[in-house]
Amino acid sequence: MRRALRFVPLALLVSVAAELAVFVLVGRVVGFGAATLLVFAASLLGLVLLRREGIRAWRGFREAAQSGRPPGRQVTDGLAGLLGALLLAAPGLVSGLVGLVLLVPPVRRLARGGMQRTAERRVSSMAAGDLFGPRRVRVYQGGAQQPAGGPPQSGAPPSQPAAGPGQPAAEQGGAIEGEIVEPRNS
């Protein structure tokens, strides 16, 4: 995290330079008065949308919490909308364009998914389950299981009987290979 913060001043400098260059280019094409009005109109629209997205995010979070559903999806969707409105409200044509694109529903879903994956990596799996809801797990039976009655490997616990047809491999006490599969409710 600290390594990423080291590049924040450079990123801010590059973004300001890009905003100025785009403003000058647009000003040469449509005139500087029209470019200035465009920046003000985008900022005003961003401020209106910032209020609307904030209220919408709060209502979604509150409804999810009151109904007992995990609020993570509403929180990340609200954050994506707030980020888009905030970028639109910031003075500048490039940030306004990025903010406007972030408010488009398919792009917003992509941003929400990225925010969710980032949040899941940074918090414990139990907290992620509380925030985003339960996960389905795909389990692979078989693999590196020790045969019943065989000699234990170095450092391995004594062997346990193999799982029967109706007995899950988890009851053996061994590890089960698996992967988390996202639920399909959007």
Side-chain angles (χ1 to χ4, degrees):
M1 181 76 166
R2 282 193 171 158
R3 282 184 262 156
L5 290 177
R6 180 175 46 184
F7 296 110
V8 169
L10 180 63
L12 288 174
L13 183 65
V14 168
S15 68
V16 168
E19 292 285 0
L20 285 173
V22 169
F23 180 77
V24 168
L25 287 174
V26 170
R28 285 186 180 170
V29 172
V30 298
F32 286 104
T36 304
L37 283 175
L38 186 62
V39 169
F40 282 130
S43 294
L44 184 62
L45 177 64
L47 290 174
V48 170
L49 288 176
L50 192 62
R51 181 174 186 261
R52 186 191 78 161
E53 290 296 325
I55 291 171
R56 183 174 164 222
W58 176 250
R59 283 184 184 153
F61 173 75
R62 194 176 66 211
E63 288 172 6
Q66 286 176 348
S67 67
R69 292 179 290 137
R73 175 156 280 175
Q74 285 75 20
V75 169
T76 53
D77 189 46
L79 284 176
L82 283 171
L83 180 62
L86 186 63
L87 285 171
L88 192 57
L93 296 173
V94 175
S95 64
L97 182 64
V98 170
L100 194 61
V101 167
L102 196 54
L103 292 173
V104 175
V107 177
R108 191 175 184 161
R109 276 193 300 273
L110 287 173
R112 180 182 68 201
M115 288 180 186
Q116 181 175 340
R117 283 188 297 278
T118 301
E120 286 174 342
R121 274 186 297 204
R122 295 189 184 267
V123 299
S124 69
S125 60
M126 188 183 324
D130 290 343
L131 188 59
F132 297 109
R135 301 285 185 255
R136 290 189 342 230
V137 177
R138 188 176 297 154
V139 176
Y140 301 109
Q141 295 286 336
Q145 293 182 357
Q146 184 177 338
Q153 298 173 353
S154 63
S159 97
Q160 298 177 357
Q167 181 182 13
E171 291 179 10
Q172 285 186 8
I176 299 175
E177 185 178 335
E179 64 180 280
I180 295 177
V181 179
E182 282 295 317
R184 289 275 182 205
N185 55 359
S186 292

